[in-house]
Amino acid sequence: MALLEVRNLVKTFGDRNVLDGVSFTLEEGEAKVVMGPSGCGKSTMLRCLNRLIEPTSGEIIFDGEDVTRPGVDVRKLRSRIGFVFQNFALYRHMSVLDNVTLALIKLKGLPKREAEERALQELDRMDMAHKRDAFPASLSGGQSQRVAIARALAMDPKVLFFDEPTSALDPIMVREVVTLINRLYLDNVTILCVTHDLSLARYISDRVVFLDHGKVYAEDRIEDLLARETDPVIED
């Protein structure tokens, strides 16, 4: 059974269908990339999947549970889905260590010492333990992204969502983060990543879900999509 199954997902804003019947699956240990033109609904879809945005209709089956049903524990759902945001979303008034321990203490109820031990394990995995006492303003974009990934991994999620993880970075930092995410991919971390970055898609994706006008236009390996030279939508 797939870890994540999206069935006919619809999201409307007013009279505009941003998502218009999106369906796909994500297997445990798989890395899948979502690509498509700007405004096609990629980031909206990602936010619907962990209920940051409420879907209009459709089903989202995560780890065997329909998480769109009434009464679902949204906090519990989000603790099982690590979300790495485009702009990092670090608390500027908190140290690196406190940024990573916050959810462990507030959501998982871990004692501070245990939370700090777990946070330092993940910061070390991201080569950021030496910055434990630094504040976000002193970090580079690549370092901030590493802290954001450590924060997500510390919760021991079933899947990691990335929303345009390289778009706010300069070219040198892009290479650094691509290498980092590729490391997670090789470690069999389940990944769903929204990106425009073809190099990232090549390095980390088993398959690509290509959205256009709120629908799944194609799903295939990146090499096979790139070979569709006569398809004007994908070529663009």
Side-chain angles (χ1 to χ4, degrees):
M1 183 175 66
L3 176 64
L4 174 67
E5 184 175 359
V6 182
R7 301 174 182 167
N8 200 31
L9 185 64
V10 173
K11 179 59 186 176
T12 60
F13 292 102
D15 59 356
R16 181 172 170 239
N17 266 14
V18 177
L19 299 174
D20 191 12
V22 170
S23 298
F24 68 93
T25 61
L26 181 69
E27 302 292 332
E28 191 163 357
E30 183 181 18
K32 190 163 280 189
V33 165
V34 182
M35 304 189 80
S38 296
C40 70
K42 301 184 298 296
S43 293
T44 296
M45 183 200 74
L46 212 59
R47 284 162 170 74
C48 283
L49 297 183
N50 76 341
R51 301 280 302 276
L52 283 171
I53 295 175
E54 288 300 311
T56 302
S57 63
E59 292 180 305
I60 301 166
I61 312 299
F62 179 67
D63 203 16
E65 178 185 8
D66 182 359
V67 298
T68 57
R69 63 177 173 77
V72 71
D73 187 341
V74 175
R75 282 166 60 97
K76 181 180 177 183
L77 169 69
R78 292 177 187 159
S79 73
R80 296 156 65 205
I81 297 175
F83 203 122
V84 181
F85 294 88
Q86 180 177 352
N87 62 352
F88 322 128
L90 300 177
Y91 292 105
R92 298 178 65 82
H93 65 288
M94 299 175 70
S95 70
V96 163
L97 183 60
D98 288 341
N99 264 282
V100 180
T101 59
L102 181 64
L104 290 169
I105 294 169
K106 296 292 186 182
L107 293 181
K108 285 197 174 282
L110 295 186
K112 183 177 180 181
R113 181 168 182 157
E114 186 179 343
E116 287 183 347
E117 288 176 356
R118 176 150 185 77
L120 285 170
Q121 285 177 0
E122 294 303 338
L123 285 169
D124 186 57
R125 184 179 180 183
M126 296 293 109
D127 302 320
M128 287 298 294
H130 66 291
K131 292 286 190 178
R132 57 176 288 172
D133 297 321
F135 285 79
S138 70
L139 303 179
S140 68
Q143 289 173 330
S144 296
Q145 194 67 287
R146 286 173 179 266
V147 175
I149 295 170
R151 178 179 59 186
L153 288 171
M155 295 294 286
D156 194 25
K158 298 281 288 187
V159 61
L160 267 186
F161 286 177
F162 289 92
D163 188 11
E164 298 284 5
T166 59
S167 65
L169 305 176
D170 63 43
I172 293 174
M173 293 301 177
V174 166
R175 288 199 299 272
E176 178 183 317
V177 170
V178 168
T179 301
L180 179 62
I181 298 175
N182 186 50
R183 240 167 58 193
L184 297 174
Y185 168 60
L186 294 175
D187 286 343
N188 291 318
V189 175
T190 308
I191 293 172
L192 185 64
C193 177
V194 164
T195 186
H196 283 101
D197 191 329
L198 279 172
S199 64
L200 178 60
R202 283 192 180 100
Y203 271 106
I204 72 160
S205 65
D206 293 309
R207 294 177 70 80
V208 172
V209 175
F210 192 93
L211 297 186
D212 187 51
H213 292 92
K215 297 177 181 289
V216 176
Y217 181 83
E219 181 177 349
D220 214 332
R221 297 186 311 129
I222 184 68
E223 294 86 357
D224 294 326
L225 288 177
L226 291 172
R228 294 192 187 187
E229 297 178 356
T230 59
D231 189 321
V233 173
I234 293 177
E235 185 180 9
D236 286 344

